[in-house]
Amino acid sequence: MTTRWFEMKRQDVIDKLGTCPEKGLAEHQAKERLEQIGPNKLLSSERKPPWKMLLDQFKDFMVLVLIAATFISGMLGEWADAVTIMIIVIVNAILGFVQEFRAEKSMEALKALTAPEALVVREGVERKIPAADLVPGDIVLLDTGDKVPADLRLLAIANLEIEESALTGESFPVKKRVENMAGETEVSLGDTRNMAYMGTVVVRGRGKGVIVDTGMHTEMGHITRMIQEAEEDQTPLQRRLDQLGRVLVAFCLLVCALVVVLGILRGEPIYHMFLAGVSLAVAAIPEGLPAIVTIALAIGVQRMIKRNAIIRRLPAVETLGCATVICSDKTGTLTENQMTVREILVGNSHVSVTGEGYDPKGEFRFDGVKGSEFSTFLKCAALCNNAKLTKGEISVGGIFRNLTKGNLSNVWGIAGDPTEGALMVMAAKGKVWRKDLENEEQRLLELPFDSIRKRMSVVYQDAKGQLTTYVKGAPDVMLDLCTHIYKDGRVIQLSDQARREILKKNSEMAQGALRVLALAYRNIEGVASEEDLTEEKVEQKLVFLGLAGMIDPPRPSAVHSIQACRRAGIRTVMITGDHQLTAQAVGKELGLLPRGAKVLTGTQLDQLDDNELQHEAEQTTVYARVTPKHKLRIVRALKRNGHIVAMTGDGVNDAPAVKEADIGIAMGKAGTDVTKEASAMVLADDNFSTIAAAIEEGRGIYDNIRKFIRYLLSCNVGEVLTMFLAVLMGMPLPLLPIQILWMNLVTDGLPAMALGVDPVEKDIMYRRPRDPQESVFSHGLGMRIMSTGVIFAIGTLLAFAVGLMLGQVDLARTMAFNTLVFFQLFFVFSCRSERHSIAEVGLFGNPHLVSAVLISASLQLAVNYIGFLQPIFHTVPLELKHWVIILSIAILPQILGIIGKVIKDRAKERIMYIKA
């Protein structure tokens, strides 16, 4: 029988699960339960096993034709050909399996990195762990935007509302409570308000709960409506290449059939021409292209992960190279996200605060008289706060950068929001600690901060029963709620003159790049019950306490990255909820605001229609005082202007703008689960520089795909034209079927794969963004492929003709065979760049490619000089004079390419000199 957790009292639930609401489970308990119950996962579709991957390599039509040709060869007594063809087919299958297996592993690693996490309390310490590691009895903390990781019985809440449509179909959020529901026999799932269920989303408030069920034992598991994993969709580039592949297959089969028919008509044996046609088709059709595109995308994604950019959707890799605008949050992305209070305005005093980071060491320097209002100001900062100061722990706030500075036990950090952390540190510097205050007062209510309200309130009750609300928020919003001010130890009416002075001081602090928050309080009278503590009741007629100005310095790396993006033709736009003057000061420090440029505020945005905003969006680089709705309008305006937009976000309300953007980017540390799910990319370090690095890698991946398209198709065109022209000119076949198959193996395998991991070109961020609609053959790539194939064919036939003049047809074929192979092995180095010569990019810039070419060249030499291989591949040993001819022809295109590049560059310089 299923336990009816919602009927039980909180303490009974805790006792039954053997846990502690304050300290949670011990690590050894959690480990034992995880072994007994299993991971907190829903059943998902099984991944394709390796053996099936290997078998699938033999399902290709051309491979099946080759296998049939093997049997025909055996029946005709051509055992050497049959065995060799079979070996080549198997080796090709193994290469394809390795490519697919590596891609699959890369995708699995990516999914592990993007797996949901949960904030739990274990052994008294808050920590984030993978949701799969949760067990019954774990104490989980929920915040706005979190996805509930398992089925929970709620223990404590603060204005908690959860959207449960994924489970119940109800579109409205459910307001939660903690009291048990004993005695109610007919209770629907949507009525169990003291429960939170796996897969639902916190849309408001905070909460704490104990896990009662995990994995398939949850309500979501019972209903099985959630599909954990969807089929991997192809990227737009992969789809275009699939279409291209079908066209190429049809074209190649037509040409190969023509070669076979012409050969038979000329008197060649039907069997030999059939085998030649099949071999030529196998060599000509770029069957490795989809696999190499996949591996290039997968390896590129892995490289991005190393640079803290986690790709959630593969199409984002392509879109990154097309980005023209990056819309970025300020706090934590363009700035350090390590807030420190620097200035305070309280009573008649202006106060300077010393100290660095989260270490609660520092002093207050008063420019005026210190009154009793200062202690109330610090008390409000400590109580209207959910952050925690930590010492000797790796906290959510992060202290990794300090680990090298001394003993970990002496390192201070924060768990929670950095802004709240700064206020908590400020209070601690004045010897005011929340844990001491809460020994005498109890929190009854919390009204959480959100981007619409722009404030947070808490209500505390002291031992005498006195209720007090403490509020913090944006100064302009707070002043509208305040009717009095605490000054000179007295609560007096807040005059219009005082309001103007406060706003003036707020502007001065904001101009100094300080983020400013106002603090206020009020003693509440005449409340009969907690139900009467409504938002309207507790947030009116407040007493103004003061302003706290905190600094969040710009990241030095962000300044460099913004400059790099500008060189790359990408405009950076800063969007913040901070005061206009703060945004303006930070924008100038980051180099985003040129002289005369203006900051557009949310209020001004509201006065613009869509057409006016579309015009303003083309010129504005800094927005201030914006809400998530404004973000959505900005993204749409930029997209209407033809931009490819990347948009960052962290809060649940940012999700629509993040989803609307061409490249939605979520914060890995500060981001909510909802925003991460809406995003295409997650920043593991919440750093703007990571976006620039991801764009660089995205451009590099697309470049590498073009590189091996150029290489593969040039080589394949060369092979087809060599056979086709030879038949047209009435020459003997320059290549035998077994030689064509071998060539396909040694040139299209390792070298092509090595191009997929070619390093990013140094000047890649000096180019304009790519047009997302451009063909993969744009910028003359198609013409270069055809011209290279023609050169290969003419050079190979020249070597064949010279061989015929020097001796028998076997020598001529050996020379043609080696010429075409070394044509391709030399040419692969030219494919490393479309803009630079081999000399400029460096011969050894890609060690994987050098190794691949050396291996392929060694294998090619082996079939020439190892005795038992010669009759199989119909080769004869070559002398020095033969190699001089072969290598001279094979390397000639590269030499001509370098000379042509030099002439072209000098012509450009001459034109620029004349213009100057």
Side-chain angles (χ1 to χ4, degrees):
M1 180 178 175
T2 304
T3 305
R4 292 165 66 91
W5 297 103
F6 58 87
E7 289 185 339
M8 299 170 64
K9 294 180 180 178
R10 279 177 284 183
Q11 191 56 49
D12 293 340
V13 173
I14 293 296
D15 293 341
K16 186 175 179 67
L17 293 167
T19 187
C20 171
E22 286 76 35
K23 294 186 177 180
L25 296 174
E27 284 295 340
H28 70 88
Q29 287 179 294
K31 186 177 180 182
E32 288 171 4
R33 295 184 186 190
L34 188 63
E35 290 174 355
Q36 292 172 1
I37 300 169
N40 176 38
K41 290 182 178 179
L42 297 180
L43 291 180
S44 58
S45 57
E46 292 185 7
R47 309 306 300 171
K48 189 190 295 184
W51 63 266
K52 194 171 187 305
M53 278 188 207
L54 183 59
L55 283 181
D56 284 350
Q57 306 303 316
F58 297 95
K59 288 183 177 179
D60 183 78
F61 172 73
M62 297 310 300
V63 173
L64 292 174
V65 173
L66 268 182
I67 292 172
T70 304
F71 283 110
I72 294 171
S73 298
M75 290 168 61
L76 296 175
E78 302 285 345
W79 289 107
D81 281 357
V83 172
T84 307
I85 293 170
M86 204 64 220
I87 291 172
I88 291 172
V89 167
I90 291 170
V91 172
N92 262 319
I94 292 171
L95 277 175
F97 164 75
V98 169
Q99 290 171 347
E100 185 177 347
F101 186 76
R102 285 189 66 184
E104 188 76 18
K105 284 294 181 186
S106 298
M107 291 301 103
E108 285 179 12
L110 176 62
K111 286 178 182 177
L113 282 168
T114 57
E117 293 182 319
L119 184 61
V120 302
V121 179
R122 282 193 182 168
E123 297 182 342
V125 178
E126 294 178 14
R127 64 188 66 177
K128 276 195 174 183
I129 66 170
D133 293 343
L134 294 172
V135 295
D138 262 328
I139 304 298
V140 174
L141 304 179
L142 300 174
D143 207 342
T144 304
D146 288 349
K147 178 173 275 192
V148 180
D151 285 3
L152 310 175
R153 171 66 156 83
L154 295 170
L155 304 176
I157 62 169
N159 226 33
L160 183 66
E161 294 184 20
I162 297 180
E163 197 267 305
E164 297 181 337
S165 60
L167 194 66
T168 65
E170 293 291 334
S171 57
F172 294 103
V174 177
K175 191 172 179 62
K176 293 296 180 177
R177 69 185 206 189
V178 295
E179 295 78 13
N180 63 308
M181 301 173 65
E184 299 185 36
T185 53
E186 296 296 327
V187 179
S188 67
L189 204 62
D191 293 330
T192 55
R193 305 217 165 185
N194 55 8
M195 300 287 293
Y197 296 104
M198 176 191 256
T200 59
V201 177
V202 179
V203 295
R204 190 180 185 198
R206 299 165 56 250
K208 177 197 278 190
V210 59
I211 294 180
V212 295
D213 285 306
T214 60
M216 293 305 292
H217 299 289
T218 62
E219 290 295 334
M220 195 66 76
H222 293 323
I223 298 174
T224 63
R225 278 202 277 158
M226 176 179 282
I227 300 173
Q228 187 79 352
E229 294 178 84
E231 286 295 316
E232 288 292 341
D233 197 13
Q234 289 185 310
T235 72
L237 177 62
Q238 286 174 315
R239 286 195 289 271
R240 288 202 302 270
L241 290 177
D242 270 358
Q243 293 167 0
L244 169 67
R246 284 192 282 272
V247 173
L248 287 174
V249 166
F251 175 74
C252 290
L253 289 177
L254 180 64
V255 174
C256 293
L258 191 58
V259 169
V260 172
V261 171
L262 289 174
I264 293 171
L265 291 176
R266 209 183 63 193
E268 296 283 351
I270 294 175
Y271 160 70
H272 283 300
M273 288 312 302
F274 164 74
L275 202 53
V278 172
S279 303
L280 190 57
V282 170
I285 295 169
E287 73 286 341
L289 192 56
I292 293 176
V293 169
T294 302
I295 200 76
L297 288 169
I299 291 172
V301 164
Q302 290 293 315
R303 287 207 308 220
M304 288 187 186
I305 289 169
K306 290 177 182 176
R307 299 182 74 171
N308 293 314
I310 302 170
I311 299 295
R312 297 188 69 252
R313 297 187 179 94
L314 272 185
V317 176
E318 297 168 35
T319 315
L320 277 166
C322 309
T324 58
V325 176
I326 303 172
C327 296
S328 173
D329 281 329
K330 176 183 75 69
T331 304
T333 309
L334 293 169
T335 59
E336 294 279 7
N337 204 22
Q338 193 170 27
M339 308 288 286
T340 305
V341 175
R342 281 280 174 263
E343 293 184 38
I344 298 171
L345 175 70
V346 59
N348 287 317
S349 295
H350 173 261
V351 188
S352 298
V353 188
T354 65
E356 294 292 335
Y358 299 127
D359 193 334
K361 290 179 181 177
E363 59 183 31
F364 301 101
R365 296 173 180 171
F366 287 82
D367 179 13
V369 180
K370 177 181 179 181
S372 59
E373 60 268 21
F374 185 66
S375 59
T376 307
F377 178 85
L378 295 183
K379 181 179 181 181
C380 179
L383 290 178
C384 189
N385 203 314
N386 288 313
K388 293 181 181 179
L389 278 180
T390 61
K391 190 175 184 181
E393 299 168 9
I394 307 278
S395 68
V396 177
I399 53 174
F400 295 105
R401 63 171 65 90
N402 297 318
L403 294 182
T404 58
K405 297 181 181 178
N407 193 318
L408 177 61
S409 62
N410 296 322
V411 177
W412 286 88
I414 61 126
D417 180 75
T419 301
E420 292 195 331
L423 293 174
M424 189 64 73
V425 171
M426 175 193 70
K429 288 174 181 177
K431 311 303 179 189
V432 177
W433 297 85
R434 188 172 67 222
K435 62 180 180 180
D436 295 334
L437 295 172
E438 288 183 340
N439 288 333
E440 300 176 1
E441 301 186 37
Q442 178 186 2
R443 184 183 288 195
L444 298 183
L445 175 72
E446 176 187 334
L447 299 175
F449 176 90
D450 66 45
S451 56
I452 305 299
R453 286 165 28 85
K454 295 182 180 177
R455 62 186 182 272
M456 170 189 175
S457 301
V458 293
V459 176
Y460 275 82
Q461 183 177 41
D462 63 18
K464 297 178 181 179
Q466 174 63 55
L467 299 181
T468 306
T469 180
Y470 298 97
V471 190
K472 71 171 186 289
D476 50 349
V477 173
M478 294 288 286
L479 280 173
D480 289 340
L481 300 172
C482 291
T483 56
H484 293 74
I485 183 171
Y486 197 169
K487 206 168 188 178
D488 298 326
R490 297 180 301 123
V491 175
I492 60 175
Q493 193 79 22
L494 181 62
S495 65
D496 291 340
Q497 176 65 23
R499 288 177 189 272
R500 286 193 293 270
E501 289 176 359
I502 292 168
L503 289 172
K504 180 182 177 183
K505 185 58 185 176
N506 176 46
S507 296
E508 290 172 359
M509 294 168 77
Q511 283 177 329
L514 294 177
R515 183 180 187 187
V516 188
L517 286 179
L519 279 70
Y521 83 107
R522 174 182 167 234
N523 291 324
I524 304 174
E525 306 292 344
V527 175
S529 65
E530 289 185 30
E531 283 71 23
D532 293 335
L533 295 174
T534 61
E535 183 175 317
E536 294 75 17
K537 186 80 172 178
V538 304
E539 291 182 345
Q540 63 171 324
K541 298 180 181 179
L542 299 178
V543 179
F544 184 84
L545 286 170
L547 301 175
M550 56 197 76
I551 188 74
D552 183 13
R555 295 179 186 261
S557 59
V559 178
H560 298 303
S561 297
I562 288 169
Q563 292 171 351
C565 287
R566 189 176 292 123
R567 288 194 298 268
I570 304 166
R571 183 156 62 98
T572 303
V573 174
M574 184 178 81
I575 302 177
T576 178
D578 280 351
H579 192 279
Q580 179 180 357
L581 294 172
T582 306
Q584 186 173 343
V586 174
K588 286 179 179 177
E589 287 191 51
L590 290 166
L592 287 174
L593 268 182
R595 183 174 296 177
K598 64 180 181 179
V599 176
L600 199 62
T601 66
T603 304
Q604 293 167 331
L605 270 170
D606 288 332
Q607 296 168 359
L608 301 175
D609 62 29
D610 288 345
N611 290 330
E612 290 170 331
L613 178 56
Q614 192 174 336
H615 173 73
E616 290 293 334
E618 201 61 26
Q619 308 168 54
T620 306
T621 54
V622 178
Y623 295 85
R625 276 289 185 261
V626 298
T627 66
K629 289 182 181 178
H630 294 140
K631 282 188 176 184
L632 187 60
R633 287 192 67 201
I634 293 166
V635 170
R636 286 174 175 168
L638 288 167
K639 288 178 73 174
R640 283 196 300 272
N641 285 336
H643 287 290
I644 304 299
V645 184
M647 166 65 83
T648 68
D650 51 15
V652 62
N653 291 333
D654 290 335
V658 167
K659 194 169 186 179
E660 178 76 18
D662 298 286
I663 310 159
I665 304 171
M667 302 295 105
K669 291 180 180 178
T672 61
D673 290 343
V674 172
T675 312
K676 289 175 184 175
E677 287 205 356
S679 70
M681 184 171 87
V682 177
L683 303 184
D685 57 358
D686 293 7
N687 191 339
F688 179 84
S689 298
T690 302
I691 303 174
I695 288 174
E696 182 181 354
E697 289 290 352
R699 290 184 174 191
I701 290 167
Y702 187 79
D703 267 11
N704 286 350
I705 291 172
R706 277 179 63 98
K707 288 172 189 177
F708 57 70
I709 287 175
R710 178 187 176 190
Y711 174 69
L712 282 177
L713 297 188
S714 296
C715 296
N716 293 359
V717 168
E719 292 166 11
V720 171
L721 285 179
T722 297
M723 297 292 285
F724 183 64
L725 293 175
V727 172
L728 278 183
M729 292 188 293
M731 300 173 72
L733 290 180
L735 297 169
L736 294 176
I738 200 70
Q739 293 172 339
I740 296 171
L741 289 175
W742 175 257
M743 188 186 311
N744 188 53
L745 177 65
V746 297
T747 60
D748 285 7
L750 294 176
M753 288 176 64
L755 274 179
V757 295
D758 208 44
V760 175
E761 291 185 35
K762 292 180 180 178
D763 65 346
I764 200 165
M765 291 297 280
Y766 286 83
R767 306 178 202 161
R768 304 295 298 175
R770 174 175 57 85
D771 183 347
Q773 301 303 319
E774 76 175 25
S775 164
V776 75
F777 294 109
S778 62
H779 308 296
L781 181 60
M783 185 59 68
R784 282 198 294 274
I785 287 170
M786 291 304 299
S787 60
T788 303
V790 170
I791 291 170
F792 282 4
I794 293 172
T796 303
L797 291 176
L798 176 61
F800 184 61
V802 172
L804 287 175
M805 288 188 292
L806 293 176
Q808 297 179 343
V809 72
D810 282 345
L811 173 62
R813 281 177 178 150
T814 304
M815 289 181 67
F817 180 31
N818 283 279
T819 299
L820 193 46
V821 167
F822 281 96
F823 252 144
Q824 298 178 30
L825 295 183
F826 289 148
F827 174 64
V828 74
F829 290 101
S830 297
C831 292
R832 289 197 57 216
S833 177
E834 295 182 50
R835 294 167 177 82
H836 306 289
S837 66
I838 297 174
E840 290 172 315
V841 297
L843 191 63
F844 302 103
N846 182 348
H848 300 290
L849 184 60
V850 174
S851 300
V853 169
L854 288 175
I855 292 170
S856 295
S858 300
L859 290 171
Q860 180 62 21
L861 291 174
V863 301
N864 283 287
Y865 293 105
I866 294 178
F868 75 89
L869 293 177
Q870 290 171 353
I872 295 174
F873 291 96
H874 304 278
T875 57
V876 296
L878 297 172
E879 299 174 9
L880 180 60
K881 62 181 180 181
H882 302 139
W883 280 114
V884 169
I885 296 168
I886 291 168
L887 296 179
S888 297
I889 295 173
I891 205 167
L892 186 61
Q894 317 316 319
I895 296 172
L896 293 175
I898 293 172
I899 294 171
K901 181 72 170 56
V902 171
I903 294 171
K904 188 178 179 181
D905 289 346
R906 286 185 179 176
K908 279 185 180 179
E909 289 174 7
R910 193 176 295 112
I911 291 169
M912 290 175 67
Y913 176 76
I914 292 169
K915 286 183 177 179

